[in-house]
Amino acid sequence: MEITDKLVAYVAELAHLKLGDEQKAQAASDLSRMIGYVDKLAQLDTEGVEPMSHAFPVTNVFREDEVRESMDRGLILKNAPASKEGCFLVPKTVE
């Protein structure tokens, strides 16, 4: 695959990057090396290799849902710098 200036500009635009001329040349070189590596991987014999989504076996690590007592609201709000009507009071961030 040929890495053109147009392709580099397109990829930079997708990534919301503003690249200078020197950076564009470096990006073209990097893209070329990455595509070359993927081409090298495509040459590997994968006959008989089972597809996988992770390198290690992954099991569900979620615990079962169980109803428990929640912490006391007053105890939690003791650590808050400010509170109002049983809730954390934070500075306004949006006008």
Side-chain angles (χ1 to χ4, degrees), residues 37-85:
Y37 185 71
V38 171
D39 286 342
K40 184 184 279 190
L41 289 175
Q43 296 171 5
L44 292 174
D45 178 22
T46 57
E47 188 68 34
V49 177
E50 185 179 330
M52 61 172 74
S53 61
H54 292 74
F56 300 102
V58 177
T59 57
N60 186 355
V61 294
F62 296 119
R63 61 178 165 75
E64 291 295 322
D65 287 338
E66 58 184 55
V67 178
R68 299 187 301 176
E69 282 286 322
S70 59
M71 292 183 70
D72 179 56
R73 182 179 293 211
L75 182 64
I76 293 170
L77 290 173
K78 277 186 178 180
N79 292 319
S83 64
K84 181 178 180 181
E85 298 175 7

Side-chain angles (χ1 to χ4, degrees), residues 1 13 21 25 81 85 87:
M1 177 178 201
E13 182 180 337
D21 291 337
E85 298 175 7
C87 297

